[in-house]
Amino acid sequence: MRSVALAVTDGMLHFELSVAYEVFGSAPAAVAVPWYDLKVCGPAAVPFGPFRLEPEVGLDHLRDADTVIVPGWADTDTEPPADLIDAVRAAHDAGARLVSLCTGAFVLAAAGILDGKRATTHWAHTDALAARYPEVEVDPDVLYVDNGRVLTSAGKAAALDLCLHLVRLDHGSSVANTTARRLVVPPHRSGGQAQFVTAPVPDQDDHPLTGLLPWIIERLDQPLTVEDLARQARMSSRHLGRHFRAATGTTPLQWLLAQRIRHAQELLEMTDDSIDAIATATGMGTATTLRRHFNRTLGVPPDTYRRTFRTRSHQGEGAYLRIAAV
């Protein structure tokens, strides 16, 4: 998989493109193995916000590459350019390994390459991807999906996770770890993108839940039932459930659990409180219950989350943010 083609056209996101260029463009100083031969492929000069990119070769060179990488696609409401879709499809037919970063999955889906396959993209766009391309099995929770010849990543930083995964596949864990150290990132992250998603709340002032949700947030340490919430909202439990489903896409108890987990995340990041104390403060009751729900929701235990997301401000002036290699 030595030759890597980075497909670029007007409408690509520069963060994901830069991540791929940084990983595959040059080998870390301590790595002795032959590195990748990276080519930037595009139809012409490409504007990237205030930047301008000059591709080395045309999109037709995608079909000659071992690996083709499609960065994030900025406007997911519009169809990607036909020449890009055709070039990506031709590369796939020629046997290339196809990789999308973030919303680049929309390009692969438009080319029909994700049909019948499991895939992911940025959590904010998973519903749109699933609705537009029903033949794709969209997984909204993972950081990336490896189908062998077709790989997709979740949003932003997950693009780096997938790029390091490719280095690990091609050159082994030692080289991937060395590459990660150069980039000052963990070589592998546990969990999925669910740990970064904020639970939705209605933003209309006159919504029936507008007064209820802050009331719940102030009482996360208390044992609340659906009946308690319905009584506070002055409606039946069934009526409350319908409003919750319409506004948040979930049930009252599932939303409540998400808020308890979110509050636990904040306490793990910002305080030295024990897991038992955090369980009490978030209404989980016991450390065992907190660990079970936290691990099931975020894919990592509370202690691992605390080591990974510990904030610099809490550690004191001049302290370094330590990202654990979990």
Side-chain angles (χ1 to χ4, degrees):
M1 298 295 178
R2 285 279 322 274
S3 61
V4 175
L6 188 53
V8 295
T9 62
D10 187 8
M12 293 292 181
L13 299 174
H14 26 56
F15 178 85
E16 292 78 1
L17 184 146
S18 300
V19 163
Y21 196 89
E22 179 66 25
V23 171
F24 301 106
S26 61
V31 171
V33 299
W35 205 241
Y36 300 93
D37 177 20
L38 176 66
K39 288 286 189 297
V40 178
C41 307
V46 179
F48 280 84
F51 309 108
R52 179 182 174 89
L53 182 65
E54 298 281 352
E56 302 167 83
V57 292
L59 287 173
D60 57 315
H61 281 71
L62 296 186
R63 63 172 171 265
D64 299 324
D66 297 319
T67 299
V68 171
I69 299 178
V70 181
W73 177 245
D75 189 356
T76 57
D77 292 329
T78 63
E79 189 79 359
D83 57 348
L84 174 63
I85 293 175
D86 291 342
V88 166
R89 189 182 292 124
H92 180 259
D93 293 343
R97 178 172 63 181
L98 271 292
V99 180
S100 69
L101 306 179
C102 192
T103 49
F106 282 81
V107 177
L108 300 193
I113 293 168
L114 298 182
D115 288 355
K117 294 182 177 66
R118 182 166 159 260
T120 194
T121 188
H122 191 293
W123 60 264
H125 300 283
T126 51
D127 287 347
L129 182 65
R132 192 173 309 163
Y133 303 103
E135 297 301 315
V136 181
E137 181 187 345
V138 180
D139 189 335
D141 295 329
V142 295
L143 293 178
Y144 58 83
V145 173
D146 182 347
N147 288 301
R149 280 185 54 218
V150 179
L151 303 92
T152 55
S153 89
K156 299 301 179 183
L160 186 51
D161 291 303
L162 179 51
C163 289
L164 289 173
H165 174 67
L166 293 171
V167 174
R168 189 178 304 111
L169 290 174
D170 297 339
H171 298 293
S173 294
S174 177
V175 173
N177 292 347
T178 300
T179 305
R181 282 196 297 272
R182 183 189 71 172
L183 299 170
V184 200
V185 296
H188 175 73
R189 290 192 295 164
S190 299
Q193 60 180 330
Q195 60 194 302
F196 307 105
V197 180
T198 301
V201 296
D203 56 5
Q204 306 100 310
D205 291 339
D206 59 348
H207 194 280
L209 301 183
T210 299
L212 176 64
L213 300 186
W215 182 89
I216 297 173
I217 297 297
E218 293 173 0
R219 293 165 176 78
L220 291 178
D221 61 329
Q222 300 178 19
L224 299 173
T225 65
V226 173
E227 289 72 24
D228 294 330
L229 307 186
R231 190 179 307 112
Q232 177 64 25
R234 294 183 174 85
M235 62 180 69
S236 68
S237 298
R238 180 174 295 182
H239 197 194
L240 177 72
R242 286 199 294 269
H243 278 300
F244 256 91
R245 177 67 68 179
T248 71
T250 188
T251 68
L253 289 183
Q254 288 171 333
W255 188 89
L256 175 59
L257 177 60
Q259 301 312 302
R260 296 191 195 279
I261 295 294
R262 179 194 56 79
H263 188 37
Q265 290 175 273
E266 294 174 349
L267 294 175
L268 288 165
E269 294 173 19
M270 300 297 296
T271 75
D272 292 319
D273 293 352
S274 67
I275 301 301
D276 286 293
I278 292 175
T280 299
T282 57
M284 299 284 190
T286 68
T288 299
T289 301
L290 171 60
R291 286 191 173 96
R292 182 175 70 250
H293 287 300
F294 202 94
N295 201 22
R296 184 175 63 187
T297 302
L298 303 183
V300 292
D303 301 291
T304 300
Y305 182 91
R306 169 172 270 169
R307 289 196 303 272
T308 304
F309 292 95
R310 192 69 160 172
T311 61
R312 180 180 297 184
S313 60
H314 178 70
Q315 293 178 14
E317 189 67 30
Y320 290 98
L321 178 62
R322 179 178 182 271
I323 302 295
V326 294

